[in-house]
Amino acid sequence: MVPSFLSLSFSSLGLLASGLILKLAKAMDNFPGPPTHWLFGHALEIQQTGSLDKVVSWAHQFPYAHPLWFGQYIGFLNIYEPDYAKAVYSYPKAPDVYDFLLQWIGERGLLVLEGPKWLQHRKLLTPGFHYDVLKPYVAMFTESTRIMLDKWEEKAREGKSLDIFCDVGHMVLNTLMKCTFGRGDTGLGHRSGYLAVSDLTLSMQQCLVSFQYHNDFIYWLTPHGCCFLRACQVAHDRTDQVIREQKAVLQDEKVRKKIQNRRHLDFVDILLGAWDEDDIKLSDADLRAEVDTFMFEGHDTTTSGISWLLYCMALYPEHQHRCREEVCKILGDQDSFQWDDLGKMTYLTMCIKESFRLYPPVPQVYRQLSKLVTFVDGWSLPAGSLISMHVPFPWVFDPLRFSTENASKHHPFAFMPFSAGPRNCIGQQFAMSEMKVVTAMCLLHFEFFLDPSRLPIKMPQLVLCSKNGFHLHLKPLGPGSGK
């Protein structure tokens, strides 16, 4: 891989200074209506406002919004009202955020594509997340979780609280490797692979808040940039290797038929066999981008979701107890959960959703307006505006707000853990199925308690994590409490 900075001239250094101005703020325009024409993060003449403080003051006049800064130079109008969110959700994703992903996941993945190309990929990938494909994955979720639980059995004997985050991350990555490539604990399944994925996510978050890293020429020369490139190379090499191997195997017609008739297909196998209505299939670059996107979207978000959910179980023992009773009853005399069991986990599902509501794995969604938008209350924003969305709720853990009788009362854009509209998360059923299996098995094996001296501290970046980990006390449950 050749870093993009090699193709840049040294004039890029001169442009960096002007970039500081271009990133500072969006001046107020002469649009008719209320004084709402504010935006950070686009090229504009700051002298029109007199000062940046004046621009910020306009932002605070929005009834359901406030400024949100990444570092000192990129700002968004952060909206937190469902009708506001509904008005802007269909607009393109903000490149000031999502462009930081491109070195890893490329420009051809479903997350960053727009227009007809996005629609083509969406249609090609959708069969890979059909419930018939997902059913056999329950066994893979179970296998990876058992490995993690065995580790926790040993650690729990020490009588100390343990940070569950890294173990959950390893388990999730191992599961993704099995579902994507048909193999786990090899390559990216080892610690080096886990660190590569973690380094990539951390590096992207560092880029976002460090303005000097917004210039590729500068970034690739820094230790952080070099680390990011190495991690990208590890991920890309692994993906390319598996794609080459699978394509070579599929050249044999007998082997191809055998793979198509087996109990489950790996994500790569599904992509390699995907054709659209015009008999067009994904190129190798498309394949790599979609696999890397699946790894990115499926790893950190699921790790975050499971970690915060287990924290909630420890924080609210009455709900933990009720979930445990439910999954024990569902398991019965079986050795493991089956696909049909997941639909019966109604209370656990409500607890998962409530955990998502309070601790959303993706705390913000970012858009850039392509035209003037006027909200229902008459306030408006001009084309080019950078928007982030987060809809808050009262800090009360109440799973019953997602009961059948209560769910219909909520605004459809008030709860968006998997995004909303036509661009909702294609893998949401995969993620929910994995979280149900993992959490159910955890509750059958352990009782979870807080470590009052090491409570998690929220770190809202691209993915919601904790600055100090997730330290919980685990009490193994005896025979009869679970399988």
Side-chain angles (χ1 to χ4, degrees), residues 32-103:
T36 61
H37 315 115
W38 163 87
L39 185 62
F40 301 122
H42 231 287
L44 35 154
E45 299 88 13
I46 196 170
Q47 63 268 23
Q48 291 183 359
T49 67
S51 72
L52 186 60
D53 291 338
K54 188 175 180 181
V55 178
V56 175
S57 70
W58 283 113
H60 286 290
Q61 294 190 35
F62 276 82
Y64 304 107
H66 65 266
L68 175 69
W69 288 90
F70 285 155
Q72 300 177 17
Y73 306 105
I74 293 186
F76 291 76
L77 184 65
N78 186 48
I79 63 178
Y80 44 85
E81 203 280 328
D83 283 321
Y84 269 43
K86 182 179 180 180
V88 301
Y89 222 99
S90 61
Y91 285 90
K93 297 187 176 181
D96 290 82
V97 174
Y98 295 98
D99 279 1
F100 292 105
L101 309 175
L102 299 184
Q103 190 70 31

Side-chain angles (χ1 to χ4, degrees), residues 308 311 454-460 464-470:
W308 284 112
Y311 163 72
R454 307 176 81 176
L455 297 178
I457 302 172
K458 287 202 300 181
M459 186 171 63
L464 184 65
C465 299
S466 168
K467 292 181 179 179
N468 58 336
F470 295 82

Side-chain angles (χ1 to χ4, degrees), residues 352-385:
I352 291 173
K353 291 181 178 180
E354 181 67 348
S355 177
F356 278 159
R357 187 186 67 82
L358 293 174
Y359 304 99
V362 181
Q364 306 284 150
V365 178
Y366 307 95
R367 295 290 186 266
Q368 183 167 17
L369 304 186
S370 56
K371 63 181 180 180
L372 171 70
V373 170
T374 301
F375 298 110
V376 292
D377 55 7
W379 290 78
S380 61
L381 281 173
S385 297

